Every structure is written in structure tokens, then in C-alpha cells.
Amino acid sequence: GAVVSQHPSRVICKSGTSVKIECRSLDFQATTMFWYRQFPKQSLMLMATSNEGSKATYEQGVEKDKFLINHASLTLSTLTVTSAHPEDSSFYICSARDQYGEKLFFGSGTQLSVL
Amino acid sequence: AQTVTQSQPEMSVQEAETVTLSCTYDTSENNYYLFWYKQPPSRQMILVIRQEAYKQQNATENRFSVNFQKAAKSFSLKISDSQLGDTAMYFCAFMNNNAGNMLTFGGGTRLMVKP
């Protein structure tokens, strides 16, 4: 089956720094990728939809200047948390849609801890 | 907008027994998919089963089956012969085929399989 690789799996950073998370589709072209955030013991909440070669579409309440998304190729989308603060600490998960549009494949997630 | 509701925050079942997890959703769409995802302690999202809304027949995958009631907008998951490895969070999810294929998740049900 299709594989989505997400790195890093865990990152600890100081408040005010920026963190980049990568999401790669390893054996298929992903024209669309999705970024989710999951707080402890809660469900996954969609943050943004990332389309290759165009600007990301952000969900209501998600600051686009804080969560920068770049989808420059058909196999790579990146999420950069800029000027991270402790409240940004969360589990971030990406998913990629295959070319047929019927299935979504998830990355293994990134636990971000901001001190 | 779609909403997905899982009314059981926690469930437990004895090993080898059967358990049913509930899910209801609200949508005005006709063309959509429904999913059940499993999230074990590793937090990797694992697809359990998928149902196309246009199909009347309930989907089955080995020990996992669904009871899809389209008119009632209900999509329950039955796990037969429960195994210790089934212990996880289970999320019901909705995908609108006409709106970019992003998933809307329910709040999740924590299932504990007891030996």
C-alpha cells in the first residue's frame, strides 16, 4: 500500500523558534495533502488543505501566518510552525490523497513540544 | 458543514466477545464515504473499514463490519472476536466527495479489550 513518511516524529523547541515538519508520499503522487492537529485525548482537527503548486486553504481559526504550508512538489508538503509558543504544543499529522482521490494515507505524526 | 458524533467516549469488552461502536453524522450531501480509523498508542492512523454511501451493502473486513443506515445517518462498527490488539482509539470519519476529500472526524471512542 501507499506510504506517507512524516518527519520528525518528535521535536522539542524553545518558545519563539520555528519548526518545520515534512510530509512525503513515497510511492505515489499526492496532488493534495492535509494537515491535522490532535490535542491529547481529542480528535483530529483539520488545519489546512495543501495543493501542489498553489496556496494552501486554511480552516477557520487557523492562522496562516503562523502555520506556513508549502507544497512545492507532488511528493512533499511542509508545515512550518513559526514563532512557536507552548500553546502550539500538539500532535501534528499529515495525510495525502492518492491520484484516484478515494483513499487517504496518513503519516506517523509529529509530537511538538514547545518549552 | 458536516458533523460526526460518537456518543461513547469509552467502551470495554472481554476478549473474544463482540462490541459495537456507534457513530452518527449529519450532512445534506449524497455522494460521500464513511470510514472507521483505529489509532493505537503509537498514534498511527490505521484504516479499519470504508463504506461508500451509494452502496446499500454493509462493508466487512474480516472481524470488522459496519451497520450503515443511510436514512438514519448512522454508521456503527461491530468488532467480532475482540482481540487484545484491538485496544485503541477508534474514530469515525466522513468524506464529502464534492468538497476536496478532507476527512471530518468524530470525537473518538476509546476501546479497551480485557483479557
Side-chain angles (χ1 to χ4, degrees):
Chain A
V3 177
V4 172
S5 174
Q6 184 174 344
H7 292 283
S9 58
R10 180 178 294 273
V11 58
I12 302 172
C13 69
K14 292 182 179 180
S15 185
T17 60
S18 294
V19 174
K20 180 185 284 188
I21 303 169
E22 292 189 348
C23 182
R24 293 180 184 273
S25 57
L26 296 184
D27 56 359
F28 68 101
Q29 292 183 337
T31 54
T32 303
M33 290 186 176
F34 304 93
W35 288 95
Y36 293 86
R37 180 166 54 185
Q38 184 179 28
F39 290 109
K41 298 186 178 181
Q42 293 188 23
S43 186
L44 282 74
M45 298 299 296
L46 180 67
M47 298 176 66
T49 301
S50 167
N51 294 296
E52 185 267 336
S54 63
K55 291 183 178 181
T57 303
Y58 290 82
E59 295 300 299
Q60 191 173 9
V62 178
E63 300 176 57
K64 63 179 181 180
D65 294 329
K66 181 168 190 61
F67 299 99
L68 299 179
I69 291 173
N70 184 282
H71 193 161
S73 78
L74 286 171
T75 59
L76 174 64
S77 176
T78 60
L79 168 67
T80 301
V81 183
T82 62
S83 186
H85 288 92
E87 57 266 30
D88 298 324
S89 298
S90 185
F91 190 63
Y92 294 87
I93 309 176
C94 70
S95 69
R97 188 182 71 184
D98 71 350
Q99 54 265 49
Y100 305 108
E102 294 181 351
K103 294 183 180 179
L104 286 175
F105 302 94
F106 283 86
S108 54
T110 298
Q111 177 62 51
L112 171 64
S113 299
V114 185
L115 304 179
Chain B
Q2 288 74 226
T3 58
V4 180
T5 302
Q6 293 178 248
S7 59
Q8 306 151 314
E10 293 186 359
M11 294 277 286
S12 64
V13 63
Q14 291 295 133
E15 193 176 8
E17 297 293 308
T18 296
V19 65
T20 299
L21 307 184
S22 301
C23 173
T24 58
Y25 59 96
D26 187 22
T27 185
S28 58
E29 300 291 333
N30 257 323
N31 184 17
Y32 56 88
Y33 291 88
L34 294 163
F35 303 82
W36 278 98
Y37 279 91
K38 170 185 178 181
Q39 189 181 41
S42 68
R43 293 193 284 187
Q44 173 71 56
M45 295 294 285
I46 301 168
L47 177 64
V48 174
I49 201 164
R50 183 182 83 153
Q51 174 82 42
E52 293 91 335
Y54 63 86
K55 289 188 177 179
Q56 292 185 340
Q57 186 173 8
N58 290 324
T60 62
E61 286 288 341
N62 301 314
R63 298 183 294 107
F64 300 89
S65 61
V66 297
N67 183 2
F68 175 45
Q69 301 291 328
K70 190 173 183 179
K73 296 179 182 174
S74 170
F75 183 61
S76 61
L77 174 70
K78 185 171 79 171
I79 305 175
S80 304
D81 186 25
S82 297
Q83 300 176 359
L84 297 178
D86 295 334
T87 293
M89 282 291 292
Y90 286 82
F91 292 100
C92 178
F94 175 100
M95 177 196 287
N96 179 357
N97 281 3
N98 299 323
N101 297 126
M102 74 280 287
L103 290 171
T104 300
F105 288 91
T109 296
R110 183 174 302 277
L111 176 66
M112 172 72 72
V113 180
K114 299 179 178 180

